[in-house]
Amino acid sequence: MDGAINIQGLSKKYAGSDKFALENLTLSVHPGEVYGFLGPNGAGKSTTIRTLLNFIQPTSGTAQILGLDIVTDSVAIKKSVGYLAGDAVLYPKLTGREFLSYMGDLQPPKHAGYVNELAKRFQAELNMKLRDLSKGNRQKIGLIQAFMHEPAVLVLDEPTSGLDPLMQEEFFKLVRESKARGASIFFSSHNLAEIQKTCDRVGFIRQGKLIAEQVVAEVAATAARTFDITFADVPTRAELRSIAGAKVEMSSPSQATIHLSGDLAPMFRVLARHKVLGINQRELDLEQEFLHFYKGESK
């Protein structure tokens, strides 16, 4: 198997429960791939990550990270993995600098000065005790420790939780840089927008089961595009609705919004028969394409 992460039939049932928190999960994350693990709260995302890192034992199934078994080779795996927990509890009496120094002894950074570079990028407060930091500032310290040794695999549970928009963008940039050097990133989220920005593929989990996988670029290629068009004349609705793959909304007799899936040529053939004063394509929003996976599921 050539995946950085390979999961086969992984299941987890907690003691005293008659339901699986994770049931028969099978997926792979390729080298240099960013894989988003998307689902509502309680869907099984954190259970998957905790099982992968052998913090809890699987009920059945197997998984490998970098070709090593997650149970029997757990210690060796951790040398090459950067990890951020979704509910990370850092050593409260240590300062950020002391914590990162301690973690650096466990997983030494490959490049001197990289920790300070990350701290500067995330505007991290290193001299305060961790117990005195806000959730967002603790999250920055957690992200720095996950990335600072430039691991081959990153496993991140809700990594942008508590970050302001500027720091979220810095995280997205760091993910792209890690991918460029060949790292594989597996991160859980319930945020559709950040999946759209960062991921090559996305898996949807609901009630402990993987219900679908999508290549983000393919979703973008097949998603409906939206055009706002202003005419100098007044086209008939029937003419616009004859466009293959189009859904048409008329805000006035001379203004139309066209939602179009597939080939654009039929629309432009109709537009060529009219004088068009303006045409604006709205920015593609993949959230609408993904939302149907959540139907019937509370968040």
Side-chain angles (χ1 to χ4, degrees):
M1 293 174 289
D2 60 358
I5 299 174
N6 289 293
I7 303 172
Q8 304 92 30
L10 201 64
S11 297
K12 177 63 182 178
K13 182 184 287 187
Y14 291 103
S17 175
D18 59 352
K19 293 183 179 180
F20 281 97
L22 183 67
E23 187 172 358
N24 198 31
L25 176 67
T26 297
L27 63 82
S28 294
V29 181
H30 308 309
E33 180 179 40
V34 182
Y35 188 101
F37 201 45
L38 187 62
N41 293 331
K45 302 188 300 295
S46 293
T47 295
T48 300
I49 286 176
R50 290 169 184 154
T51 306
L52 269 180
L53 295 180
N54 199 41
F55 299 142
I56 56 177
Q57 296 278 305
T59 302
S60 61
T62 61
Q64 297 80 37
I65 297 177
L66 299 173
L68 301 173
D69 184 84
I70 60 168
V71 176
T72 59
D73 302 315
S74 176
V75 174
I77 284 172
K78 290 179 174 62
K79 295 178 181 178
S80 301
V81 172
Y83 168 62
L84 177 66
D87 54 355
V89 179
L90 310 180
Y91 296 96
K93 294 182 180 180
L94 297 183
T95 66
R97 194 178 305 280
E98 290 168 341
F99 172 73
L100 293 174
S101 176
Y102 171 66
M103 296 303 293
D105 289 337
L106 297 174
Q107 294 176 311
K110 294 181 174 68
H111 297 97
Y114 189 51
V115 174
N116 287 333
E117 177 189 330
L118 290 175
K120 183 177 181 180
R121 289 174 61 172
F122 281 104
Q123 302 173 20
E125 175 52 69
L126 300 184
N127 296 320
M128 290 177 63
K129 291 188 182 299
L130 294 171
R131 67 187 176 197
D132 296 325
L133 295 178
S134 66
K135 174 178 173 54
N137 282 315
R138 288 195 304 272
Q139 190 77 356
K140 295 176 186 179
I141 302 295
L143 283 170
I144 292 168
Q145 68 81 28
F147 281 86
M148 68 184 188
H149 58 297
E150 300 172 79
V153 173
L154 285 138
V155 179
L156 311 171
D157 196 355
E158 301 284 356
T160 62
S161 177
L163 298 183
D164 64 41
L166 286 176
M167 293 299 100
Q168 289 180 21
E169 288 300 324
E170 197 62 49
F171 166 74
F172 299 148
K173 183 179 178 182
L174 188 57
V175 166
R176 291 192 292 270
E177 292 170 1
S178 300
K179 170 183 166 65
R181 65 171 171 79
S184 302
I185 299 109
F186 179 89
F187 77 85
S188 76
S189 178
H190 61 267
N191 187 317
L192 292 157
E194 70 182 23
I195 293 292
Q196 177 179 336
K197 284 186 176 183
T198 56
C199 293
D200 301 303
R201 283 192 302 145
V202 57
F204 297 88
I205 187 171
R206 190 167 67 194
Q207 297 179 342
K209 297 180 180 179
L210 187 71
I211 59 171
E213 285 185 302
Q214 297 278 314
V215 176
V216 174
E218 290 179 0
V219 176
T222 59
R225 285 155 288 186
T226 300
F227 300 87
D228 295 308
I229 303 169
T230 302
F231 296 89
D233 54 2
V234 181
T236 65
R237 289 195 177 200
E239 188 178 17
L240 294 179
R241 288 174 178 167
S242 70
I243 299 170
K247 178 182 177 182
V248 179
E249 300 170 3
M250 302 294 296
S251 55
S252 76
S254 60
Q255 291 183 314
T257 296
I258 298 178
H259 307 279
L260 185 62
S261 299
D263 189 4
L264 299 181
M267 180 182 75
F268 285 110
R269 281 197 291 268
V270 170
L271 296 185
R273 298 198 290 266
H274 297 272
K275 184 177 181 180
V276 176
L277 297 178
I279 180 169
N280 176 64
Q281 182 176 359
R282 297 183 192 176
E283 184 177 350
L284 181 65
D285 184 358
L286 295 185
E287 290 195 27
Q288 293 304 313
E289 302 300 314
F290 290 146
L291 277 175
H292 66 279
F293 291 109
Y294 286 96
K295 287 182 179 178
E297 188 74 25
S298 63
K299 298 183 184 179

